[in-house]
Amino acid sequence: MKIPVSCVGLTVLLAAIFSDFDMAAENRDFGGFSRYARANKEIPIKKKGEKRVVFLGNSITDQWLKYSPEFFADNNYINRGISGQTSYQFLLRFREDVINLNPDLVVINVGTNDCAENTCAFNADITIGNLVSMVELAKANKIKVVLTSVLPAAGFRWNKNITDAPERIELLNRRIKSYAKENRIPYVDYYSSMVSGSERALNPEFTNDGVHPLKAGYTVMESLINPVIKRYLK
């Protein structure tokens, strides 16, 4: 049967569209698996008696290594923060960036970008559900967990449509703290030591953008988290 020229043209057009779609799909990495793929392969087998700790988080964790590399090097801590990520993405990469590294403990800091709606509309139930799933995965693999508060922020410069950031953050912190208490999981409250003023902002002494800590802010966080880790790993 002879195919009309118009049909041939349509076929070629559709083929091009779907080809571009397939290429785009191949190039997408929503979970961020590629970020640490090589580094994960280069991590040596854990030695007898070695205690290994992974910090899982977003840009607040990611930039920690830049401001305080000695904190990670001196304590044998592994940084697995990825800027911009939400709890949805943490959960996707939890096996590759946590479980497969065979840590004794994981420190999870989640919530800032969920509140900022980086991937979808804010839903505290789903955020907490994602966190609970990560905890359950850790426990199933005999990995201890330390949960931490969301850091304070009066707003998010990249999404100014969010006008209730402090309320969202406080809601998540209440729920994370409650879940930790109910399940006997250590909870580290960064928030109370870093919040400032009636706007419930990140103390300006610790930041230059209202969301991400500077060296002084990380120093405060280290003073809070490190004793908990050391005590929990004994």
Side-chain angles (χ1 to χ4, degrees):
M1 182 178 71
K2 185 176 180 181
I3 301 175
V5 174
S6 60
C7 291
V8 173
L10 178 61
T11 301
V12 172
L13 176 62
L14 288 174
I17 290 172
F18 283 109
S19 175
D20 289 343
F21 179 81
D22 289 341
M23 289 179 64
E26 289 177 3
N27 292 331
R28 285 197 299 269
D29 183 14
F30 178 74
F33 299 111
S34 62
R35 169 66 187 280
Y36 293 109
R38 177 177 294 181
N40 289 344
K41 290 179 180 179
E42 293 174 351
I43 290 179
I45 296 174
K46 191 164 63 174
K47 299 176 182 178
K48 185 177 180 180
E50 175 188 351
K51 298 295 183 181
R52 182 173 291 174
V53 177
V54 173
F55 280 66
L56 182 71
N58 49 46
S59 56
I60 292 168
T61 298
D62 197 354
Q63 294 184 23
W64 199 337
L65 186 61
K66 179 181 75 172
Y67 282 102
S68 191
E70 68 282 355
F71 174 68
F72 292 88
D74 293 348
N75 292 290
N76 196 32
Y77 296 161
I78 298 171
N79 188 304
R80 288 296 178 265
I82 296 183
S83 179
Q85 283 204 338
T86 63
S87 64
Y88 302 80
Q89 294 158 305
F90 289 7
L91 182 55
L92 280 175
R93 65 184 177 96
F94 197 82
R95 181 166 300 279
E96 285 73 16
D97 286 349
V98 179
I99 295 171
N100 290 349
L101 305 187
N102 194 26
D104 298 272
L105 185 151
V106 60
V107 177
I108 303 174
N109 179 252
V110 65
T112 298
N113 293 326
D114 290 55
C115 292
E117 301 188 349
N118 278 25
T119 52
C120 57
F122 176 66
N123 186 316
D125 290 336
I126 296 179
T127 296
I128 296 300
N130 290 338
L131 179 61
V132 170
S133 293
M134 286 185 269
V135 172
E136 290 174 347
L137 283 168
K139 288 186 174 181
N141 287 275
K142 297 180 173 57
I143 301 169
K144 294 180 178 180
V145 178
V146 173
L147 299 179
T148 62
S149 70
V150 185
L151 269 63
F156 309 109
R157 70 187 189 285
W158 63 93
N159 189 353
K160 294 183 179 179
N161 292 323
I162 306 301
T163 58
D164 60 342
E167 288 76 21
R168 294 181 179 195
I169 290 169
E170 288 187 346
L171 171 61
L172 283 186
N173 283 342
R174 286 195 301 271
R175 295 192 60 174
I176 295 170
K177 183 177 181 179
S178 176
Y179 172 74
K181 183 177 181 181
E182 290 172 3
N183 292 273
R184 298 182 179 181
I185 298 170
Y187 170 79
V188 176
D189 180 12
Y190 297 139
Y191 181 93
S192 296
S193 296
M194 304 182 78
V195 68
S196 174
S198 60
E199 293 184 348
R200 291 165 287 179
L202 181 57
N203 190 321
E205 295 181 6
F206 302 146
T207 184
N208 59 12
D209 66 4
V211 174
H212 301 94
L214 299 171
K215 175 66 175 179
Y218 287 119
T219 298
V220 172
M221 293 167 66
E222 290 166 14
S223 71
L224 295 169
I225 191 67
N226 216 22
V228 175
I229 293 173
K230 300 300 185 185
R231 186 163 58 246
Y232 201 22
L233 286 178
K234 281 186 178 180

